Amino acid sequence: MKLFITVKPKSRREKVEKTDNGYVVYVKEQPVDNKANLALIRLLSEHFGVPKSQITIVSGMKSKHKVVGIKNFSGE
């Protein structure tokens, strides 16, 4: 399953919101040294109830707009 994600780094609260175009994920970490990407994977893992090893960033490693793949998951 592929998800379209917009990441909002340096947020006060961490949360995952579903929108018409995909998801908006708010993370506390700054987009430095891959910290925001790791926080994104952690939050998606908690939100969808899948192991972190099943989540990969397909494209957008250095962008706020990402495509994320989740293996062995059919949907929310």
Side-chain angles (χ1 to χ4, degrees):
M1 174 176 152
K2 288 188 180 177
L3 303 173
F4 296 96
I5 307 283
T6 300
V7 179
K8 302 283 186 174
K10 299 189 283 184
S11 298
R12 286 184 174 207
R13 300 178 70 174
E14 293 186 324
K15 62 182 176 177
V16 178
E17 290 182 352
K18 185 171 174 123
T19 64
D20 294 337
N21 299 327
Y23 290 86
V24 178
V25 180
Y26 297 85
V27 297
K28 290 182 180 180
E29 285 76 8
Q30 295 183 6
V32 177
D33 295 331
N34 210 30
K35 290 178 183 178
N37 288 335
L38 295 174
L40 168 68
I41 291 172
R42 178 181 48 80
L43 281 175
L44 291 176
S45 170
E46 293 170 2
H47 181 77
F48 290 112
V50 298
K52 290 186 278 187
S53 61
Q54 299 294 313
I55 300 173
T56 57
I57 298 175
V58 177
S59 67
M61 286 293 290
K62 294 186 177 185
S63 172
K64 290 183 180 183
H65 304 286
K66 302 179 185 303
V67 177
V68 175
I70 302 178
K71 297 179 188 173
N72 303 323
F73 186 71
S74 59
E76 185 178 50

